[in-house]
Amino acid sequence: MPSGLARLLDPSIPGWLPENRARLDAMLRAKGNTSTSYDPANKPVATFDWDNTMMRNDIGDDTMAWMLRNDAILQPPDRDWALTSGTMTDEARASLHAACDKAGEPGKPLQTKENPACADAIHAIYDSAKTTSGAPAWVHPVTLTTNEAYAWLARLLGGHTPAEVQGFARAAYAENSAAAEGAKQTVGSHTDVTAWVRIYPTMRDLVGALQANGFDVWIVSASPQNVTEIVAHEVGIDADHVIGIRNARAPDGKLGYHLEDCGDGPRDSVMTFDRGKRCFINKVIFHQPRTVQLPRADPAHRPTFSAGDSDTDVAFVQDATELKLVINRNKPQLMCNAYSNAEHRWLVQPMFIQPLPKRADAYACSTAVDASGQPIGDEEGHRMADQLDTVFALP
């Protein structure tokens, strides 16, 4: 039988809107291990996005910048950039050949620190989905299950061991977490690349409270697996409870250029992005068979609680059966869902550091479309009325 009191959110840590704190505490009491309904054989699951949900700014971006500044990206075999992406445009490959062919031998580190043109070529394709001359870098940059730029970062880790990548991420996090808020760094010829991160104390405390109350807590991120697991450790989540973009392994154990599959679609067509996050939650956490990993699962095989900040978090946040926490970064599809507040289960929280000002115009929920060009809808598929931005200031 359950005994004792639930471990609630720490009232000495500021930042939560009062209603959000109260509702999170109520969930801990109702669903945690002090509740009479708690089943330790079927623990309630909590799933969190990482970048800009648990931490201000992006550990993937920071690791890419660190790699370019420290000659950590390897020249592809035969200098064949097509190996790093099956949907890269001819223009993008040509720009990489022109800038990077002389920057390193195949399989060896590219000298991007001393060769800003090569660093610029890689940074432009990753950061803007365009070449330095403005040509499109990807044939299909974004789908409902893949973001080619995010996937490319993971693929550029090819040839390294997981431990080496962890070392890159650890060094990037150490630099950026020690930097002043608003700090910038130079990557190639760019002098204005973001160079700071902060883990939100509120979210670290929420993870601790969930774990203390018997929740099974996971990170599901569109940053690479071996990168995300380093920062997840900072909030008490072990690597075996992190789902990031996962590289398939080469026979020698090093990371390869292909990605781990999910669902029953073509190879490299699903990663931890948008509906792909749902796919990997169904696969890794709930052990659903391949043919039903991509659709929304039945309530018994879905998270109890989910949190995100981006339009590409909509699917898995919608799936939560109890509470759905949204960090307000003015992302239209997510905020339309949050403010429409189906079944009164959505919580909107301003960013804990430098919250954005109120959006001037209403979110055009009634006419907005998703990455496939289809009208957006709530978790029941219903169209939503336009919504005003009403939750944007910290208490």
Side-chain angles (χ1 to χ4, degrees), residues 7 43 49 66 69 95 110-111 129 151 186 189 206 224 258 307-308 377:
R7 193 285 223 187
K43 295 180 179 181
D49 169 59
W66 188 93
R69 290 173 45 244
S95 73
L110 288 167
Q111 302 301 307
T186 297
S189 64
L206 175 56
H258 288 290

Side-chain angles (χ1 to χ4, degrees), residues 285-318:
I285 302 176
F286 293 104
H287 310 293
Q288 297 286 70
R290 188 179 183 92
T291 55
V292 295
Q293 288 168 356
L294 196 53
R296 176 173 290 137
D298 65 275
H301 296 91
R302 283 155 51 187
T304 297
F305 170 82
S306 293
D309 71 283
S310 173
D311 286 347
T312 59
D313 296 325
V314 166
F316 90 93
V317 176
Q318 282 183 338

Side-chain angles (χ1 to χ4, degrees), residues 29-322:
R29 295 188 186 97
K31 299 297 180 179
N33 54 16
T34 60
S35 167
T36 57
S37 65
Y38 183 80
D39 179 2
N42 293 283
K43 295 180 179 181
V45 170
T47 52
F48 292 83
D49 169 59
W50 182 265
D51 300 302
N52 283 301
T53 297
M54 304 297 285
M55 179 185 80
R56 180 64 192 271
N57 294 328
D58 190 301
I59 191 60
D61 292 349
D62 297 333
T63 303
M64 171 64 95
W66 188 93
M67 292 171 67
L68 289 170
R69 290 173 45 244
N70 289 273
D71 299 344
I73 296 173
L74 303 180
Q75 179 79 268
D78 299 322
R79 295 183 171 86
D80 185 1
W81 288 94
L83 295 173
T84 69
S85 172
T87 68
M88 185 179 288
T89 62
D90 293 341
E91 293 86 350
R93 288 196 298 273
S95 73
L96 291 166
H97 283 303
C100 299
D101 273 5
K102 296 181 180 179
E105 295 299 314
K108 301 297 182 181
L110 288 167
Q111 302 301 307
T112 47
K113 184 176 181 179
E114 302 300 327
N115 190 327
C118 182
D120 286 349
I122 294 171
H123 182 267
I125 291 171
Y126 170 72
D127 186 60
S128 68
K130 296 180 180 180
T131 68
T132 52
S133 63
W138 314 104
V139 177
H140 300 294
V142 177
T143 72
L144 288 174
T145 55
T146 302
N147 180 301
E148 288 298 337
Y150 296 174
W152 197 50
L153 169 57
R155 292 182 174 117
L156 290 180
L157 303 174
H160 288 295
T161 66
E164 288 171 337
V165 174
Q166 291 167 351
F168 303 158
R170 192 175 289 111
Y173 176 73
E175 285 187 5
N176 284 265
S177 61
E181 290 186 16
K184 301 292 184 180
Q185 61 186 318
T186 297
V187 176
S189 64
H190 297 276
T191 60
D192 60 347
V193 178
T194 299
W196 68 279
V197 300
R198 293 292 186 277
I199 289 174
Y200 293 133
T202 41
M203 300 301 271
R204 181 188 283 115
D205 178 56
L206 175 56
V207 167
L210 288 163
Q211 292 171 331
N213 284 280
F215 281 69
D216 193 21
V217 184
W218 292 75
I219 297 297
V220 187
S221 174
S223 287
Q225 173 73 32
N226 302 123
V227 170
T228 308
E229 59 195 25
I230 293 302
V231 283
H233 180 74
E234 297 290 326
V235 300
I237 297 178
D238 293 335
D240 63 1
H241 273 58
V242 173
I243 311 173
I245 305 176
R246 297 179 169 185
N247 297 60
R249 297 288 187 89
D252 61 3
K254 294 180 179 179
L255 302 181
Y257 291 119
H258 288 290
L259 306 180
E260 181 180 313
D261 291 327
C262 189
D264 54 0
R267 190 176 195 183
D268 292 335
S269 64
V270 180
M271 53 170 267
T272 44
F273 177 82
D274 205 338
R275 295 183 187 177
K277 288 192 174 185
R278 171 192 289 154
C279 189
F280 275 91
I281 289 169
N282 288 341
K283 173 184 175 177
V284 177
I285 302 176
F286 293 104
H287 310 293
Q288 297 286 70
R290 188 179 183 92
T291 55
V292 295
Q293 288 168 356
L294 196 53
R296 176 173 290 137
D298 65 275
H301 296 91
R302 283 155 51 187
T304 297
F305 170 82
S306 293
D309 71 283
S310 173
D311 286 347
T312 59
D313 296 325
V314 166
F316 90 93
V317 176
Q318 282 183 338
D319 289 353
T321 59
E322 185 67 17

